[in-house]
């Protein structure tokens, strides 16, 4: 899974990226520091893994991962090629979700598009550019299929989407329409998590509540990544930052994207995986290896909560908590699965 970080120039995108990935990508006080995108992998924090490790006596634990993509800042006119423009919009077409970071910290040394702080204005500038880039793409497609009698439905749908986007409103779509539009990779339709980059100790501005933004002290978080884990916890306690902001960001991304976690256990190797909610166990098998999906026979399943409840795999087996499921079983959050398959080649 890939998530793209967008925002105006110089708002802290790379600082957030570094905090998330414990990276050292270049951060400067001037805009357009990032030119080539930074890509980094982040482990999804999951306290269940530790508990499971003990219960199953696993020797190796691999958490699920998310990939973050940090790109150049967007400016007014980006969709028309201003700033570093269009090329970066293309880079985020492929991501599954967007983290839109907005500047809420004040610092006279760090240039911003205007002397005042106005997060709503900033969000609207970026969203307008995303919508304009989408409109251009839709327009091109409409011209192409205009005379195709078989594309009438699609043409109608595109017209409706274009109308909504030009009004700055999200279009109302049913499942089938969403499916048709998937191939377009429209930026405006991607699930978006808004992040307010706050000055130390500040709270989220009231006006950002309607965007359901989460607040992060990005600079502090990135600096704290340099500390050992125990010191970070102590530092957090002293500063009164309760919940770890970055973990929350990752958790919220899961919620936003409708993702669940399942676990596999194979020869004492425990591993967490990410899956869209509603998928079958056969599809889950495909995430691990395409051979497992093709040759799927059955799976042995136990849910995390049941296992923790009884305390061991042996007891779980005695109590009948370990179930055999067929290919259509819908995987639930926290399922621990072992897949039986045959090689089809
Ligand atoms: N005071 C303060 N400065 C911050 C904060 N977050 C980032 N900065 C500073 O803002 C400047 C820009 O940060 P970057 O992370 O490079 O911003 P960016 O959005 O990636 O910038 P571009 O790649 O140039 O678009 C750096 O000097 C950061 O140290 C913050 O929360 N508070
Ligand atoms: Mg940057």
């Amino acid at each position: 899974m890939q998530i793209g970080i967008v925002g105006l120039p110089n708002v802290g995108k790379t600082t957030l990226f570094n905090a998330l990935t414990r990276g050292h990508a270049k951060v400067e006080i001037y805009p357009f520091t990032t030119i080539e995108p930074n890509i980094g992998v982040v482990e999804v924090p999951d306290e269940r893994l530790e508990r499971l490790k003990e219960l199953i006596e696993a020797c190796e634990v691999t958490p699920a991962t998310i990939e973050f993509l940090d790109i150049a800042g967007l400016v007014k006119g980006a969709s028309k090629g201003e700033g570093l423009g269009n090329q970066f919009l293309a880079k985020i077409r492929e991501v599954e979700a967007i983290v839109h970071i907005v500047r809420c910290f004040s610092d006279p040394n760090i240039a911003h598009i205007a002397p005042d702080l106005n997060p709503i204005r900033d969000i609207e500038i970026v969203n307008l550019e995303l919508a304009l880039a989408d409109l251009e793409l839709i327009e091109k497609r409409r011209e192409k299929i205009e005379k195709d009698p078989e594309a009438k439905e699609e043409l109608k749908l595109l017209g409706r989407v274009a109308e909504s986007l030009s009004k700055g409103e999200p279009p109302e779509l049913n499942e089938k329409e969403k499916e048709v539009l998937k191939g377009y990779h429209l930026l405006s339709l991607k699930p978006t998590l808004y992040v307010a980059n706050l000055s130390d100790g500040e709270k989220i501005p009231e006006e950002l509540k309607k965007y359901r933004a989460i607040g992060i002290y990005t600079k502090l978080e990135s600096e704290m990544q340099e500390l050992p884990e125990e010191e970070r916890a102590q530092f957090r306690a002293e500063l009164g930052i309760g919940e770890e902001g970055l973990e929350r960001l990752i958790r919220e991304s899961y919620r936003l994207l409708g993702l669940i976690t399942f676990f596999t256990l194979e020869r004492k190797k425990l591993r967490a995986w990410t899956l869209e909610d509603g998928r079958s166990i056969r599809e889950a098998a495909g995430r691990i290896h395409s051979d497992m999906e093709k040759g799927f026979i059955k799976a042995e399943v136990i849910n995390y909560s049941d296992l923790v409840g009884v305390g061991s795999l042996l007891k779980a087996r005695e109590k009948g908590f370990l179930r055999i499921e067929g290919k259509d079983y819908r995987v639930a959050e926290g399922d621990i699965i072992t897949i039986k398959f045959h090689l089809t080649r």
Side-chain angles (χ1 to χ4, degrees):
M1 190 182 46
Q2 231 188 17
I3 297 184
I5 304 174
V6 305
L8 291 172
N10 233 10
V11 296
K13 298 181 295 301
T14 304
T15 309
L16 174 66
F17 174 84
N18 284 342
L20 283 164
T21 61
R22 302 205 176 153
H24 296 94
K26 199 168 165 207
V27 166
E28 293 285 355
I29 58 163
Y30 48 80
F32 300 118
T33 301
T34 309
I35 299 176
E36 279 307 310
N38 300 307
I39 299 176
V41 175
V42 177
E43 291 181 350
V44 177
D46 190 335
E47 56 211 19
R48 290 172 300 183
L49 282 171
E50 270 312 300
R51 186 86 179 88
L52 280 174
K53 189 179 176 190
E54 281 166 32
L55 277 181
I56 308 177
E57 291 165 13
C59 55
E60 206 180 297
V61 176
T62 315
T65 55
I66 305 182
E67 211 168 86
F68 280 88
L69 191 68
D70 165 42
I71 60 163
L74 295 169
V75 289
K76 213 178 213 159
S79 60
K80 295 274 171 281
E82 285 293 323
L84 293 168
N86 256 336
Q87 39 176 327
F88 301 117
L89 290 175
K91 299 254 194 266
I92 45 171
R93 286 235 174 260
E94 305 295 321
V95 302
E96 271 119 319
I98 287 177
V99 164
H100 183 159
I101 174 163
V102 58
R103 177 160 165 169
C104 296
F105 68 86
S106 42
D107 187 333
N109 297 319
I110 303 191
H112 191 44
I113 52 159
D116 62 324
L117 274 183
N118 186 338
I120 300 287
R121 169 200 63 200
D122 295 0
I123 285 179
E124 285 173 354
I125 291 175
V126 170
N127 282 347
L128 178 65
E129 288 312 315
L130 300 181
L132 288 173
D134 286 344
L135 282 169
E136 202 180 303
L137 196 123
I138 290 175
E139 216 37 61
K140 278 197 190 127
R141 176 76 184 161
R142 276 166 89 183
E143 278 167 23
K144 207 164 160 191
I145 61 172
E146 212 168 27
K147 298 207 171 64
D148 181 353
E150 291 197 358
K152 275 205 174 114
E153 285 285 310
E154 190 178 340
L155 209 56
K156 220 166 96 187
L157 173 63
L158 289 181
R160 196 152 59 78
V161 174
E163 198 185 322
S164 301
L165 292 185
S166 47
K167 281 193 234 153
E169 291 165 4
E172 269 181 42
L173 302 165
N174 62 33
E175 287 308 313
K176 199 175 144 221
E177 291 166 336
K178 278 185 197 159
E179 212 42 52
V180 174
L181 289 172
K182 247 190 196 155
Y184 286 80
H185 303 291
L186 295 177
L187 300 164
S188 325
L189 300 187
K190 289 194 194 290
T192 301
L193 177 66
Y194 291 91
V195 170
N197 189 7
L198 306 171
S199 292
D200 298 357
E202 293 287 327
K203 293 261 176 301
I204 290 197
E206 198 57 37
E207 67 268 28
L208 278 182
K209 296 250 160 89
K210 70 171 178 179
Y211 286 92
R212 304 173 83 185
I214 63 170
I216 298 191
Y217 308 109
T218 304
K219 195 169 178 197
L220 195 70
E221 292 284 358
S222 81
E223 285 162 0
M224 272 201 284
Q225 295 310 321
E226 306 291 328
L227 302 173
E229 203 159 320
E230 317 79 65
E231 279 181 46
R232 275 211 304 272
Q234 200 184 347
F235 204 51
R236 251 171 224 298
E238 277 167 24
L239 292 169
I241 311 175
E243 197 175 19
E244 171 128 20
L246 299 174
E247 283 191 16
R248 220 174 110 215
L249 190 152
I250 294 168
R251 250 205 322 278
E252 284 292 314
S253 306
Y254 259 58
R255 190 189 51 75
L256 192 74
L257 291 165
L259 298 172
I260 60 168
T261 303
F262 70 94
F263 306 98
T264 53
L265 182 63
E266 205 217 331
R267 280 188 240 117
K268 297 269 169 195
K269 284 184 186 164
L270 176 71
R271 181 161 177 176
W273 303 82
T274 304
L275 189 73
E276 299 84 35
D277 193 12
R279 300 279 174 170
S280 71
I281 199 155
R282 190 161 172 260
E283 289 170 296
R287 290 301 152 87
I288 303 162
H289 201 290
S290 56
D291 283 348
M292 283 190 165
E293 184 168 3
K294 272 188 244 144
F296 184 92
I297 302 169
K298 61 185 178 180
E300 204 175 43
V301 181
I302 178 170
N303 196 268
Y304 171 82
S305 50
D306 291 335
L307 179 58
V308 169
V310 292
S312 82
L313 268 177
L314 195 71
K315 279 199 200 127
R317 206 179 286 276
E318 279 168 17
K319 293 210 167 195
F321 284 152
L322 266 154
R323 295 165 279 133
I324 300 294
E325 299 284 0
K327 65 178 172 27
D328 295 326
Y329 168 73
R330 178 182 165 167
V331 178
E333 170 66 51
D335 274 351
I336 305 160
I337 64 184
T338 308
I339 291 167
K340 306 265 185 275
F341 68 105
H342 56 76
L343 281 173
T344 50
R345 279 171 293 173

